[in-house]
Amino acid sequence: GAAMLLWLWLWLCVCCCPGRGLRIHEYLYFQVLSPGDIRYIFTATPAKDFGGVFNTRYEQIHLVPADPPEACGELNNGVFIQDQIALVERGGCSFLSKTRVIQEHGGRAVIIADNAYDNDSFYIEMIQDSSRRTADIPALFLLGRDGYMIRRSLEQHGLPWAVISIPVNVTSIPTYEMMQPPWTFW
């Protein structure tokens, strides 16, 4: 009972709270405004030790799936990513490399979805690679299932991007629970 909880708390503090004040699973939320069939609030986790933070709340900004999806080099739709947010798929190169590619194309931020489309619960910690490079734009990690559903909806509607609000303060939304994607409860 209580002894077990205390032990667990102590273990968490020793193992997971190094001196540099590591933020454990800090979440950031965004809402898809269109297309309407995925008009939900999505949960993402910011990169752990690289990338910028959101200093602005974007009421309406485009979430543009990168082409090619892994964004490890030159993009075919880079012109659409300028001043918008890119949706990128995990794999092929480091999280930092992807973030830098999007930054070089003028993107305001990058959301990197897991390439495991059935991942509906496991958030990956995105850490710096060994290259000593940096990135200034925010980088977020999204569950594979969420990324897949967003891309699939855009394909079904023949749309080049979604319209989102980011970041969203869920504490001010009483219906937040109802606005989460239904597949998160599978």
Side-chain angles (χ1 to χ4, degrees):
M4 182 73 179
L5 279 173
L6 181 64
W7 180 86
L8 186 66
W9 182 80
L10 286 169
W11 180 83
L12 280 169
C13 286
V14 172
C15 300
C16 312
C17 311
R20 36 185 224 107
L22 196 62
R23 304 188 307 260
I24 301 173
H25 278 322
E26 196 172 276
Y27 294 111
L28 192 141
Y29 304 91
F30 66 94
Q31 181 173 11
V32 171
L33 304 175
S34 85
D37 60 335
I38 49 164
R39 198 185 158 99
Y40 301 117
I41 293 174
F42 292 88
T43 304
T45 51
K48 199 159 144 176
D49 59 3
F50 70 89
V53 295
F54 282 95
N55 300 316
T56 315
R57 173 160 190 257
Y58 300 101
E59 296 287 342
Q60 288 195 4
I61 191 164
H62 294 164
L63 178 63
V64 185
D67 174 23
E70 290 181 345
C72 291
E74 198 51 42
L75 301 179
N76 300 320
N77 65 339
V79 63
F80 296 120
I81 282 165
Q82 183 156 357
D83 293 325
Q84 309 300 328
I85 296 177
L87 177 62
V88 168
E89 219 171 292
R90 182 182 176 197
C93 59
S94 71
F95 292 121
L96 179 61
S97 291
K98 296 169 188 297
T99 305
R100 287 179 57 90
V101 165
I102 299 307
Q103 181 174 315
E104 283 156 17
H105 284 83
R108 300 272 176 97
V110 60
I111 297 175
I112 301 171
D114 198 353
N115 50 4
Y117 297 162
D118 55 351
N119 179 4
D120 58 5
S121 58
F122 187 67
Y123 288 88
I124 305 282
E125 285 196 330
M126 298 199 303
I127 55 172
Q128 173 76 277
D129 62 21
S130 56
S131 65
R132 297 220 176 113
R133 299 168 305 167
T134 57
D136 305 316
I137 63 170
L140 307 173
F141 183 80
L142 183 65
L143 294 176
R145 162 95 31 158
D146 291 347
Y148 170 74
M149 296 303 259
I150 291 171
R151 278 194 310 273
R152 194 183 76 164
S153 173
L154 293 176
E155 282 165 17
Q156 286 172 344
H157 293 283
L159 294 170
W161 54 69
V163 180
I164 66 169
S165 286
I166 191 169
V168 170
N169 178 3
V170 296
T171 56
S172 66
I173 304 175
T175 55
Y176 163 60
E177 294 294 324
M178 290 155 46
M179 296 180 73
Q180 289 177 285
W183 56 86
T184 56
F185 306 122
W186 290 358

PDB file of all heavy atoms in Angstrom, residues 57-91:
ATOM      1  N   ARG A  57       0.571  31.479 -30.325  1.00  0.00           N
ATOM      2  CA  ARG A  57      -0.493  30.500 -30.551  1.00  0.00           C
ATOM      3  C   ARG A  57      -1.027  30.751 -31.954  1.00  0.00           C
ATOM      4  O   ARG A  57      -1.398  31.871 -32.295  1.00  0.00           O
ATOM      5  CB  ARG A  57      -1.619  30.660 -29.525  1.00  0.00           C
ATOM      6  CG  ARG A  57      -2.772  29.749 -29.881  1.00  0.00           C
ATOM      7  CD  ARG A  57      -3.711  29.463 -28.736  1.00  0.00           C
ATOM      8  NE  ARG A  57      -4.617  28.407 -29.161  1.00  0.00           N
ATOM      9  CZ  ARG A  57      -5.873  28.608 -29.530  1.00  0.00           C
ATOM     10  NH1 ARG A  57      -6.400  29.817 -29.477  1.00  0.00           N
ATOM     11  NH2 ARG A  57      -6.613  27.605 -29.949  1.00  0.00           N
ATOM     12  N   TYR A  58      -1.000  29.722 -32.767  1.00  0.00           N
ATOM     13  CA  TYR A  58      -1.504  29.845 -34.130  1.00  0.00           C
ATOM     14  C   TYR A  58      -2.964  29.408 -34.138  1.00  0.00           C
ATOM     15  O   TYR A  58      -3.261  28.237 -33.928  1.00  0.00           O
ATOM     16  CB  TYR A  58      -0.665  28.987 -35.086  1.00  0.00           C
ATOM     17  CG  TYR A  58       0.795  29.392 -35.110  1.00  0.00           C
ATOM     18  CD1 TYR A  58       1.746  28.676 -34.408  1.00  0.00           C
ATOM     19  CD2 TYR A  58       1.213  30.516 -35.830  1.00  0.00           C
ATOM     20  CE1 TYR A  58       3.081  29.055 -34.418  1.00  0.00           C
ATOM     21  CE2 TYR A  58       2.537  30.899 -35.847  1.00  0.00           C
ATOM     22  CZ  TYR A  58       3.472  30.167 -35.139  1.00  0.00           C
ATOM     23  OH  TYR A  58       4.790  30.547 -35.142  1.00  0.00           O
ATOM     24  N   GLU A  59      -3.865  30.367 -34.366  1.00  0.00           N
ATOM     25  CA  GLU A  59      -5.304  30.065 -34.347  1.00  0.00           C
ATOM     26  C   GLU A  59      -5.673  29.198 -35.543  1.00  0.00           C
ATOM     27  O   GLU A  59      -6.529  28.329 -35.437  1.00  0.00           O
ATOM     28  CB  GLU A  59      -6.125  31.363 -34.399  1.00  0.00           C
ATOM     29  CG  GLU A  59      -5.940  32.272 -33.189  1.00  0.00           C
ATOM     30  CD  GLU A  59      -6.621  31.741 -31.937  1.00  0.00           C
ATOM     31  OE1 GLU A  59      -7.511  30.868 -32.061  1.00  0.00           O
ATOM     32  OE2 GLU A  59      -6.257  32.194 -30.842  1.00  0.00           O
ATOM     33  N   GLN A  60      -5.049  29.485 -36.680  1.00  0.00           N
ATOM     34  CA  GLN A  60      -5.290  28.715 -37.910  1.00  0.00           C
ATOM     35  C   GLN A  60      -3.991  28.684 -38.693  1.00  0.00           C
ATOM     36  O   GLN A  60      -3.536  29.712 -39.180  1.00  0.00           O
ATOM     37  CB  GLN A  60      -6.368  29.375 -38.767  1.00  0.00           C
ATOM     38  CG  GLN A  60      -7.763  29.238 -38.202  1.00  0.00           C
ATOM     39  CD  GLN A  60      -8.819  29.586 -39.250  1.00  0.00           C
ATOM     40  OE1 GLN A  60      -8.504  29.863 -40.407  1.00  0.00           O
ATOM     41  NE2 GLN A  60     -10.059  29.571 -38.850  1.00  0.00           N
ATOM     42  N   ILE A  61      -3.423  27.498 -38.777  1.00  0.00           N
ATOM     43  CA  ILE A  61      -2.192  27.343 -39.546  1.00  0.00           C
ATOM     44  C   ILE A  61      -2.291  26.007 -40.264  1.00  0.00           C
ATOM     45  O   ILE A  61      -3.008  25.111 -39.825  1.00  0.00           O
ATOM     46  CB  ILE A  61      -0.946  27.426 -38.610  1.00  0.00           C
ATOM     47  CG1 ILE A  61       0.351  27.549 -39.426  1.00  0.00           C
ATOM     48  CG2 ILE A  61      -0.894  26.274 -37.607  1.00  0.00           C
ATOM     49  CD1 ILE A  61       1.555  28.007 -38.615  1.00  0.00           C
ATOM     50  N   HIS A  62      -1.613  25.905 -41.398  1.00  0.00           N
ATOM     51  CA  HIS A  62      -1.682  24.661 -42.158  1.00  0.00           C
ATOM     52  C   HIS A  62      -0.753  23.608 -41.567  1.00  0.00           C
ATOM     53  O   HIS A  62       0.389  23.909 -41.214  1.00  0.00           O
ATOM     54  CB  HIS A  62      -1.288  24.900 -43.619  1.00  0.00           C
ATOM     55  CG  HIS A  62      -2.254  25.768 -44.353  1.00  0.00           C
ATOM     56  ND1 HIS A  62      -1.945  26.376 -45.550  1.00  0.00           N
ATOM     57  CD2 HIS A  62      -3.525  26.136 -44.061  1.00  0.00           C
ATOM     58  CE1 HIS A  62      -2.989  27.079 -45.969  1.00  0.00           C
ATOM     59  NE2 HIS A  62      -3.952  26.954 -45.070  1.00  0.00           N
ATOM     60  N   LEU A  63      -1.247  22.383 -41.476  1.00  0.00           N
ATOM     61  CA  LEU A  63      -0.433  21.220 -41.139  1.00  0.00           C
ATOM     62  C   LEU A  63      -0.254  20.461 -42.440  1.00  0.00           C
ATOM     63  O   LEU A  63      -1.194  19.864 -42.964  1.00  0.00           O
ATOM     64  CB  LEU A  63      -1.122  20.350 -40.088  1.00  0.00           C
ATOM     65  CG  LEU A  63      -0.364  19.061 -39.706  1.00  0.00           C
ATOM     66  CD1 LEU A  63       0.985  19.390 -39.065  1.00  0.00           C
ATOM     67  CD2 LEU A  63      -1.204  18.203 -38.764  1.00  0.00           C
ATOM     68  N   VAL A  64       0.973  20.527 -42.984  1.00  0.00           N
ATOM     69  CA  VAL A  64       1.242  20.037 -44.333  1.00  0.00           C
ATOM     70  C   VAL A  64       2.053  18.737 -44.274  1.00  0.00           C
ATOM     71  O   VAL A  64       3.194  18.739 -43.800  1.00  0.00           O
ATOM     72  CB  VAL A  64       2.055  21.090 -45.134  1.00  0.00           C
ATOM     73  CG1 VAL A  64       2.241  20.645 -46.582  1.00  0.00           C
ATOM     74  CG2 VAL A  64       1.399  22.463 -45.057  1.00  0.00           C
ATOM     75  N   PRO A  65       1.492  17.622 -44.744  1.00  0.00           N
ATOM     76  CA  PRO A  65       2.291  16.391 -44.794  1.00  0.00           C
ATOM     77  C   PRO A  65       3.460  16.571 -45.757  1.00  0.00           C
ATOM     78  O   PRO A  65       3.281  16.992 -46.900  1.00  0.00           O
ATOM     79  CB  PRO A  65       1.314  15.337 -45.329  1.00  0.00           C
ATOM     80  CG  PRO A  65      -0.050  15.909 -45.090  1.00  0.00           C
ATOM     81  CD  PRO A  65       0.117  17.400 -45.200  1.00  0.00           C
ATOM     82  N   ALA A  66       4.659  16.276 -45.279  1.00  0.00           N
ATOM     83  CA  ALA A  66       5.851  16.437 -46.114  1.00  0.00           C
ATOM     84  C   ALA A  66       5.841  15.399 -47.239  1.00  0.00           C
ATOM     85  O   ALA A  66       5.334  14.302 -47.088  1.00  0.00           O
ATOM     86  CB  ALA A  66       7.102  16.270 -45.260  1.00  0.00           C
ATOM     87  N   ASP A  67       6.393  15.791 -48.367  1.00  0.00           N
ATOM     88  CA  ASP A  67       6.550  14.898 -49.510  1.00  0.00           C
ATOM     89  C   ASP A  67       8.019  14.984 -49.940  1.00  0.00           C
ATOM     90  O   ASP A  67       8.444  16.027 -50.417  1.00  0.00           O
ATOM     91  CB  ASP A  67       5.621  15.329 -50.650  1.00  0.00           C
ATOM     92  CG  ASP A  67       5.855  14.523 -51.926  1.00  0.00           C
ATOM     93  OD1 ASP A  67       6.379  13.386 -51.820  1.00  0.00           O
ATOM     94  OD2 ASP A  67       5.541  15.035 -53.018  1.00  0.00           O
ATOM     95  N   PRO A  68       8.813  13.912 -49.756  1.00  0.00           N
ATOM     96  CA  PRO A  68       8.469  12.600 -49.196  1.00  0.00           C
ATOM     97  C   PRO A  68       8.200  12.663 -47.678  1.00  0.00           C
ATOM     98  O   PRO A  68       8.716  13.560 -47.014  1.00  0.00           O
ATOM     99  CB  PRO A  68       9.697  11.746 -49.518  1.00  0.00           C
ATOM    100  CG  PRO A  68      10.806  12.702 -49.770  1.00  0.00           C
ATOM    101  CD  PRO A  68      10.199  13.982 -50.236  1.00  0.00           C
ATOM    102  N   PRO A  69       7.416  11.691 -47.180  1.00  0.00           N
ATOM    103  CA  PRO A  69       6.933  11.760 -45.798  1.00  0.00           C
ATOM    104  C   PRO A  69       8.020  11.777 -44.736  1.00  0.00           C
ATOM    105  O   PRO A  69       7.830  12.366 -43.679  1.00  0.00           O
ATOM    106  CB  PRO A  69       6.077  10.488 -45.658  1.00  0.00           C
ATOM    107  CG  PRO A  69       5.747  10.070 -47.046  1.00  0.00           C
ATOM    108  CD  PRO A  69       6.864  10.543 -47.919  1.00  0.00           C
ATOM    109  N   GLU A  70       9.166  11.142 -45.009  1.00  0.00           N
ATOM    110  CA  GLU A  70      10.208  11.072 -43.979  1.00  0.00           C
ATOM    111  C   GLU A  70      11.043  12.350 -43.885  1.00  0.00           C
ATOM    112  O   GLU A  70      11.761  12.546 -42.906  1.00  0.00           O
ATOM    113  CB  GLU A  70      11.103   9.849 -44.203  1.00  0.00           C
ATOM    114  CG  GLU A  70      10.358   8.545 -43.919  1.00  0.00           C
ATOM    115  CD  GLU A  70      11.237   7.305 -44.108  1.00  0.00           C
ATOM    116  OE1 GLU A  70      12.318   7.433 -44.720  1.00  0.00           O
ATOM    117  OE2 GLU A  70      10.827   6.229 -43.657  1.00  0.00           O
ATOM    118  N   ALA A  71      10.963  13.211 -44.896  1.00  0.00           N
ATOM    119  CA  ALA A  71      11.639  14.523 -44.878  1.00  0.00           C
ATOM    120  C   ALA A  71      13.107  14.448 -44.480  1.00  0.00           C
ATOM    121  O   ALA A  71      13.564  15.177 -43.611  1.00  0.00           O
ATOM    122  CB  ALA A  71      10.875  15.494 -43.957  1.00  0.00           C
ATOM    123  N   CYS A  72      13.843  13.563 -45.137  1.00  0.00           N
ATOM    124  CA  CYS A  72      15.274  13.430 -44.843  1.00  0.00           C
ATOM    125  C   CYS A  72      16.143  14.211 -45.831  1.00  0.00           C
ATOM    126  O   CYS A  72      17.365  14.215 -45.708  1.00  0.00           O
ATOM    127  CB  CYS A  72      15.664  11.954 -44.833  1.00  0.00           C
ATOM    128  SG  CYS A  72      14.950  11.058 -43.437  1.00  0.00           S
ATOM    129  N   GLY A  73      15.543  14.854 -46.795  1.00  0.00           N
ATOM    130  CA  GLY A  73      16.315  15.624 -47.785  1.00  0.00           C
ATOM    131  C   GLY A  73      15.435  16.672 -48.418  1.00  0.00           C
ATOM    132  O   GLY A  73      14.544  17.222 -47.777  1.00  0.00           O
ATOM    133  N   GLU A  74      15.682  16.938 -49.693  1.00  0.00           N
ATOM    134  CA  GLU A  74      14.902  17.953 -50.404  1.00  0.00           C
ATOM    135  C   GLU A  74      13.419  17.546 -50.471  1.00  0.00           C
ATOM    136  O   GLU A  74      13.097  16.386 -50.686  1.00  0.00           O
ATOM    137  CB  GLU A  74      15.469  18.114 -51.822  1.00  0.00           C
ATOM    138  CG  GLU A  74      15.054  19.397 -52.519  1.00  0.00           C
ATOM    139  CD  GLU A  74      15.283  20.656 -51.690  1.00  0.00           C
ATOM    140  OE1 GLU A  74      16.335  20.779 -51.034  1.00  0.00           O
ATOM    141  OE2 GLU A  74      14.379  21.519 -51.688  1.00  0.00           O
ATOM    142  N   LEU A  75      12.535  18.514 -50.258  1.00  0.00           N
ATOM    143  CA  LEU A  75      11.092  18.231 -50.289  1.00  0.00           C
ATOM    144  C   LEU A  75      10.480  18.648 -51.617  1.00  0.00           C
ATOM    145  O   LEU A  75      10.856  19.670 -52.194  1.00  0.00           O
ATOM    146  CB  LEU A  75      10.382  18.985 -49.162  1.00  0.00           C
ATOM    147  CG  LEU A  75      10.836  18.679 -47.731  1.00  0.00           C
ATOM    148  CD1 LEU A  75      10.054  19.528 -46.745  1.00  0.00           C
ATOM    149  CD2 LEU A  75      10.685  17.196 -47.424  1.00  0.00           C
ATOM    150  N   ASN A  76       9.534  17.865 -52.088  1.00  0.00           N
ATOM    151  CA  ASN A  76       8.832  18.214 -53.327  1.00  0.00           C
ATOM    152  C   ASN A  76       7.775  19.294 -53.087  1.00  0.00           C
ATOM    153  O   ASN A  76       7.399  19.996 -54.019  1.00  0.00           O
ATOM    154  CB  ASN A  76       8.141  16.967 -53.912  1.00  0.00           C
ATOM    155  CG  ASN A  76       9.156  15.868 -54.217  1.00  0.00           C
ATOM    156  OD1 ASN A  76      10.250  16.143 -54.700  1.00  0.00           O
ATOM    157  ND2 ASN A  76       8.802  14.642 -53.914  1.00  0.00           N
ATOM    158  N   ASN A  77       7.304  19.413 -51.838  1.00  0.00           N
ATOM    159  CA  ASN A  77       6.271  20.403 -51.543  1.00  0.00           C
ATOM    160  C   ASN A  77       6.755  21.430 -50.528  1.00  0.00           C
ATOM    161  O   ASN A  77       5.970  21.975 -49.751  1.00  0.00           O
ATOM    162  CB  ASN A  77       4.978  19.719 -51.060  1.00  0.00           C
ATOM    163  CG  ASN A  77       5.166  18.990 -49.732  1.00  0.00           C
ATOM    164  OD1 ASN A  77       6.285  18.649 -49.360  1.00  0.00           O
ATOM    165  ND2 ASN A  77       4.068  18.765 -49.022  1.00  0.00           N
ATOM    166  N   GLY A  78       8.056  21.678 -50.556  1.00  0.00           N
ATOM    167  CA  GLY A  78       8.650  22.623 -49.606  1.00  0.00           C
ATOM    168  C   GLY A  78       8.017  23.997 -49.638  1.00  0.00           C
ATOM    169  O   GLY A  78       7.906  24.667 -48.609  1.00  0.00           O
ATOM    170  N   VAL A  79       7.551  24.430 -50.804  1.00  0.00           N
ATOM    171  CA  VAL A  79       6.947  25.760 -50.941  1.00  0.00           C
ATOM    172  C   VAL A  79       5.691  25.883 -50.076  1.00  0.00           C
ATOM    173  O   VAL A  79       5.362  26.949 -49.570  1.00  0.00           O
ATOM    174  CB  VAL A  79       6.653  26.078 -52.432  1.00  0.00           C
ATOM    175  CG1 VAL A  79       5.644  25.103 -53.023  1.00  0.00           C
ATOM    176  CG2 VAL A  79       6.184  27.509 -52.609  1.00  0.00           C
ATOM    177  N   PHE A  80       4.985  24.764 -49.856  1.00  0.00           N
ATOM    178  CA  PHE A  80       3.752  24.791 -49.043  1.00  0.00           C
ATOM    179  C   PHE A  80       4.057  24.747 -47.546  1.00  0.00           C
ATOM    180  O   PHE A  80       3.188  25.021 -46.723  1.00  0.00           O
ATOM    181  CB  PHE A  80       2.848  23.598 -49.396  1.00  0.00           C
ATOM    182  CG  PHE A  80       2.343  23.641 -50.800  1.00  0.00           C
ATOM    183  CD1 PHE A  80       2.642  22.619 -51.690  1.00  0.00           C
ATOM    184  CD2 PHE A  80       1.573  24.708 -51.256  1.00  0.00           C
ATOM    185  CE1 PHE A  80       2.186  22.660 -53.006  1.00  0.00           C
ATOM    186  CE2 PHE A  80       1.119  24.752 -52.560  1.00  0.00           C
ATOM    187  CZ  PHE A  80       1.427  23.729 -53.436  1.00  0.00           C
ATOM    188  N   ILE A  81       5.304  24.394 -47.209  1.00  0.00           N
ATOM    189  CA  ILE A  81       5.671  24.264 -45.797  1.00  0.00           C
ATOM    190  C   ILE A  81       6.142  25.591 -45.224  1.00  0.00           C
ATOM    191  O   ILE A  81       6.084  25.820 -44.030  1.00  0.00           O
ATOM    192  CB  ILE A  81       6.695  23.119 -45.651  1.00  0.00           C
ATOM    193  CG1 ILE A  81       5.918  21.792 -45.724  1.00  0.00           C
ATOM    194  CG2 ILE A  81       7.491  23.216 -44.363  1.00  0.00           C
ATOM    195  CD1 ILE A  81       6.737  20.567 -45.958  1.00  0.00           C
ATOM    196  N   GLN A  82       6.558  26.495 -46.099  1.00  0.00           N
ATOM    197  CA  GLN A  82       7.016  27.801 -45.625  1.00  0.00           C
ATOM    198  C   GLN A  82       5.932  28.488 -44.806  1.00  0.00           C
ATOM    199  O   GLN A  82       4.779  28.591 -45.239  1.00  0.00           O
ATOM    200  CB  GLN A  82       7.415  28.698 -46.796  1.00  0.00           C
ATOM    201  CG  GLN A  82       7.959  30.021 -46.294  1.00  0.00           C
ATOM    202  CD  GLN A  82       8.865  30.700 -47.294  1.00  0.00           C
ATOM    203  OE1 GLN A  82       9.150  30.178 -48.362  1.00  0.00           O
ATOM    204  NE2 GLN A  82       9.329  31.875 -46.923  1.00  0.00           N
ATOM    205  N   ASP A  83       6.303  28.929 -43.596  1.00  0.00           N
ATOM    206  CA  ASP A  83       5.408  29.619 -42.650  1.00  0.00           C
ATOM    207  C   ASP A  83       4.266  28.746 -42.149  1.00  0.00           C
ATOM    208  O   ASP A  83       3.304  29.250 -41.557  1.00  0.00           O
ATOM    209  CB  ASP A  83       4.842  30.920 -43.254  1.00  0.00           C
ATOM    210  CG  ASP A  83       5.936  31.955 -43.450  1.00  0.00           C
ATOM    211  OD1 ASP A  83       6.859  31.993 -42.610  1.00  0.00           O
ATOM    212  OD2 ASP A  83       5.886  32.701 -44.445  1.00  0.00           O
ATOM    213  N   GLN A  84       4.331  27.448 -42.387  1.00  0.00           N
ATOM    214  CA  GLN A  84       3.299  26.526 -41.896  1.00  0.00           C
ATOM    215  C   GLN A  84       3.973  25.470 -41.019  1.00  0.00           C
ATOM    216  O   GLN A  84       5.143  25.587 -40.684  1.00  0.00           O
ATOM    217  CB  GLN A  84       2.555  25.879 -43.074  1.00  0.00           C
ATOM    218  CG  GLN A  84       2.034  26.860 -44.120  1.00  0.00           C
ATOM    219  CD  GLN A  84       1.048  27.884 -43.588  1.00  0.00           C
ATOM    220  OE1 GLN A  84       0.284  27.595 -42.661  1.00  0.00           O
ATOM    221  NE2 GLN A  84       1.052  29.077 -44.147  1.00  0.00           N
ATOM    222  N   ILE A  85       3.230  24.430 -40.665  1.00  0.00           N
ATOM    223  CA  ILE A  85       3.762  23.346 -39.838  1.00  0.00           C
ATOM    224  C   ILE A  85       3.770  22.073 -40.666  1.00  0.00           C
ATOM    225  O   ILE A  85       2.815  21.794 -41.388  1.00  0.00           O
ATOM    226  CB  ILE A  85       2.932  23.195 -38.549  1.00  0.00           C
ATOM    227  CG1 ILE A  85       3.078  24.485 -37.719  1.00  0.00           C
ATOM    228  CG2 ILE A  85       3.371  21.965 -37.744  1.00  0.00           C
ATOM    229  CD1 ILE A  85       2.263  24.531 -36.464  1.00  0.00           C
ATOM    230  N   ALA A  86       4.859  21.309 -40.579  1.00  0.00           N
ATOM    231  CA  ALA A  86       4.977  20.096 -41.383  1.00  0.00           C
ATOM    232  C   ALA A  86       4.631  18.869 -40.552  1.00  0.00           C
ATOM    233  O   ALA A  86       4.965  18.792 -39.367  1.00  0.00           O
ATOM    234  CB  ALA A  86       6.398  19.963 -41.918  1.00  0.00           C
ATOM    235  N   LEU A  87       3.948  17.933 -41.203  1.00  0.00           N
ATOM    236  CA  LEU A  87       3.683  16.617 -40.620  1.00  0.00           C
ATOM    237  C   LEU A  87       4.635  15.639 -41.303  1.00  0.00           C
ATOM    238  O   LEU A  87       4.600  15.482 -42.531  1.00  0.00           O
ATOM    239  CB  LEU A  87       2.230  16.201 -40.850  1.00  0.00           C
ATOM    240  CG  LEU A  87       1.838  14.800 -40.344  1.00  0.00           C
ATOM    241  CD1 LEU A  87       2.001  14.708 -38.823  1.00  0.00           C
ATOM    242  CD2 LEU A  87       0.401  14.470 -40.747  1.00  0.00           C
ATOM    243  N   VAL A  88       5.506  15.020 -40.510  1.00  0.00           N
ATOM    244  CA  VAL A  88       6.592  14.194 -41.035  1.00  0.00           C
ATOM    245  C   VAL A  88       6.475  12.810 -40.419  1.00  0.00           C
ATOM    246  O   VAL A  88       5.926  12.655 -39.328  1.00  0.00           O
ATOM    247  CB  VAL A  88       7.942  14.878 -40.681  1.00  0.00           C
ATOM    248  CG1 VAL A  88       9.118  13.970 -40.919  1.00  0.00           C
ATOM    249  CG2 VAL A  88       8.087  16.169 -41.471  1.00  0.00           C
ATOM    250  N   GLU A  89       6.996  11.825 -41.135  1.00  0.00           N
ATOM    251  CA  GLU A  89       6.969  10.467 -40.619  1.00  0.00           C
ATOM    252  C   GLU A  89       8.325  10.067 -40.064  1.00  0.00           C
ATOM    253  O   GLU A  89       9.364  10.431 -40.618  1.00  0.00           O
ATOM    254  CB  GLU A  89       6.564   9.514 -41.750  1.00  0.00           C
ATOM    255  CG  GLU A  89       5.656   8.413 -41.287  1.00  0.00           C
ATOM    256  CD  GLU A  89       5.111   7.616 -42.461  1.00  0.00           C
ATOM    257  OE1 GLU A  89       4.312   8.163 -43.244  1.00  0.00           O
ATOM    258  OE2 GLU A  89       5.502   6.442 -42.580  1.00  0.00           O
ATOM    259  N   ARG A  90       8.317   9.303 -38.989  1.00  0.00           N
ATOM    260  CA  ARG A  90       9.542   8.800 -38.379  1.00  0.00           C
ATOM    261  C   ARG A  90      10.238   7.816 -39.327  1.00  0.00           C
ATOM    262  O   ARG A  90       9.579   7.110 -40.073  1.00  0.00           O
ATOM    263  CB  ARG A  90       9.162   8.082 -37.080  1.00  0.00           C
ATOM    264  CG  ARG A  90      10.323   7.556 -36.306  1.00  0.00           C
ATOM    265  CD  ARG A  90       9.804   6.832 -35.082  1.00  0.00           C
ATOM    266  NE  ARG A  90      10.897   6.230 -34.341  1.00  0.00           N
ATOM    267  CZ  ARG A  90      10.749   5.285 -33.444  1.00  0.00           C
ATOM    268  NH1 ARG A  90       9.548   4.823 -33.174  1.00  0.00           N
ATOM    269  NH2 ARG A  90      11.794   4.791 -32.817  1.00  0.00           N
ATOM    270  N   GLY A  91      11.574   7.789 -39.264  1.00  0.00           N
ATOM    271  CA  GLY A  91      12.339   6.811 -40.047  1.00  0.00           C
ATOM    272  C   GLY A  91      13.245   7.455 -41.073  1.00  0.00           C
ATOM    273  O   GLY A  91      13.026   8.596 -41.475  1.00  0.00           O
TER     274      GLY A  91
END
